Amino acid sequence: MTVPDLRTARLRLRGLEPTDTEAIVRVFADPDTSRFLATDLSDPGQSRASVERRLAYTGPDGTGHWVVERDGVVIGLAHLRPSAELSGDLVEIGYFLDPAHGGQGLATEAAAALLRHAFTALGLPAVWALVHESNVASRKLVRRLGFTDVGGGEHYGGPHRVLVALPTALGQWHHVELWVPDLERAEESVGWLLTELGWQEHQRRRDGVSWKLGAGYLVVQQSPALTGATVQARRAPGLSHLALHAGSPERVDQLAEAALAHGWRPLFADRYPHTGGPDHHAAYLENADGFEIELVAESPRVTRPG
């Protein structure tokens, strides 16, 4: 497992490597960098031991430790990983910046890049931060990023505030609307499948019905303004298909089989379940009106030593 490169206007965040050890020792050489930590990382031995622990991380794919570079020079260290202090596999953010580069908004820029990665690439429901009670600058930083203070406690050997950031709705989908030639037939196929995946009926009117999961919803409508009654041309320009997370590979297999009794037929059956590639387990289904839905199995957790 490797963490992805993240770039901002002024910074590059890349995966921590063993060859970064001495650069990290220099970052922590100023005692102010670790002033609010239980361990004095201005001690080179302690700093090197900390880098070794970080290099040994084997957490969920896409999380881990990044060095922060500006113009090719390592100026900081950051992480996004399951918290060692908060229970429940909550993902915690952390960042350290060489004081020589302070006062320019670089720590905020690096932390914002990690948050975007957490919410857009990883799809995390929340990101947590533990900030020492006396670290006024860092408490202001996380609040600028949208974190909310939800309490306090003893963490990392001292009093810390517990803060959480949640994804915003900006740029996320609001709803998708499908026009169908037969509403009853669409409910039998699309409605059944969405309900099996945990969606709930949201709104119903004379010529349409919607289902909701999370912030967004999907509408199927037999609109009076519909022109023509032909089925969807799957290979024509326009919407190709919807792809939905469907749980474990076993659950995808169960749904693919049960769907046959609810107006769906399999696509690419000769290549099932790896039509999308050897590491992609999915079922491709088409209903009587030509609409395609892809049921995607969750990927196994990937870890790496070192």
Side-chain angles (χ1 to χ4, degrees), residues 12-13 44 52 54 77 107 113 124 148 154 174 184 191 203 213 229 234 263 266-267 273:
R12 177 191 180 195
L13 282 70
E52 288 181 8
R54 291 168 187 268
L77 183 66
L124 296 179
T148 300
E154 287 291 312
H174 185 273
E184 183 177 351
Q203 295 172 328
L213 181 65
R234 184 169 55 85
L267 293 171

Side-chain angles (χ1 to χ4, degrees), residues 179-182 185 226-233 288-291:
W179 280 19
V180 299
D182 188 301
R185 197 160 59 215
L226 187 69
T227 60
T230 57
V231 298
Q232 172 83 1
D289 294 318
F291 290 105

